[in-house]
Amino acid sequence: MSKKILILTGDAAEVLEVYYPYFRIQEEGYEPVIAAPSKKTLHTVAHDFVEGWETYTEKPAHLLPAHIAFADVEPSEYAGVVIPGGRAPEYIRSNEHLPRILRHFLEEDKPVGAICHAVQVFAALQDASYFEGRTMTAYNACRLDVERLGAQYAEGTLHVDGRLVTGHAWPDLPGFMREFLRLVKSPVTA
């Protein structure tokens, strides 16, 4: 099994949803590889929940080097994929190489972790049958995105459906990464 795990992201990714998985993957002895539309330094953002606001706030956060461009990703080299949220999913989903990458992980039944707004990247797939009859969670503003895929929206902040791990937002990262890494370490069953 490959010791590399792909992280698909771009500018305006939620900083905790990129760095927390990045370091947890390293702690478990795997090599995290950050892929973005182009190989460049990415700008992350910090989202927070403020009492009285109906949505989250956003501030600039840390810089993050992308190791590889989507065009250069060979998905068969990776044991799994993590997709952070933030605003990055809304624009990386239009990248022409993203469907090829996503299809590989879904068709090969490799672990896929999608947290917060990450569900938006699945709109890049022409075929939503990967999600029909499944249950997923996401940030509550993305409930419609989950349902448009044909999946049932789970009210909980963490959900595992087969080898698909979904989370609500950055406060759910400990459970999200625990479940994702458990799947990475477990063999695929026929």
Side-chain angles (χ1 to χ4, degrees):
M1 178 198 315
S2 173
K3 294 295 276 182
K4 296 196 301 187
I5 296 175
L6 191 62
I7 300 174
L8 296 175
T9 195
D11 280 325
E14 161 51 49
V15 66
L16 290 173
E17 293 170 6
V18 174
Y19 274 104
Y20 189 103
Y22 183 79
F23 291 128
R24 282 293 296 121
I25 290 165
Q26 285 183 8
E27 287 174 351
E28 293 297 323
Y30 292 88
E31 177 188 353
V33 176
I34 297 171
S38 62
K39 184 178 175 181
K40 64 174 240 171
T41 299
L42 302 172
H43 300 268
T44 68
V45 296
H47 291 137
D48 209 350
F49 306 101
V50 179
E51 188 175 333
W53 282 50
E54 293 180 359
T55 189
Y56 52 86
T57 62
E58 179 178 280
K59 296 177 180 138
H62 301 292
L63 298 177
L64 175 74
H67 303 122
I68 190 171
F70 289 166
D72 300 321
V73 169
E74 176 46 60
S76 64
E77 297 177 0
Y78 299 90
V81 62
V82 172
I83 310 163
R87 285 187 298 111
E90 75 187 44
Y91 87 90
I92 68 170
R93 65 185 172 178
S94 64
N95 183 280
E96 65 182 312
H97 301 284
L98 193 62
R100 169 185 61 84
I101 296 167
L102 294 172
R103 278 193 306 270
H104 171 82
F105 289 98
L106 294 165
E107 291 171 0
E108 296 299 318
D109 201 28
K110 291 181 177 180
V112 174
I115 191 161
C116 198
H117 286 74
V119 69
Q120 293 176 329
V121 303
F122 298 134
L125 297 167
Q126 294 284 327
D127 183 3
S129 68
Y130 297 109
F131 307 100
E132 290 172 359
R134 299 188 83 172
T135 302
M136 304 165 61
T137 194
Y139 185 63
N140 56 11
C142 296
R143 179 184 190 129
L144 292 175
D145 298 286
V146 169
E147 292 171 347
R148 282 191 184 109
L149 291 170
Q152 180 179 343
Y153 183 78
E155 295 295 336
T157 60
L158 175 67
H159 193 80
V160 180
D161 185 330
R163 296 179 71 75
L164 175 63
V165 180
T166 52
H168 187 255
W170 61 260
D172 308 306
L173 282 164
F176 174 82
M177 286 307 298
R178 179 189 65 241
E179 294 301 319
F180 175 80
L181 289 166
R182 180 183 60 79
L183 291 174
V184 167
K185 295 174 187 177
S186 67
V188 176
T189 56

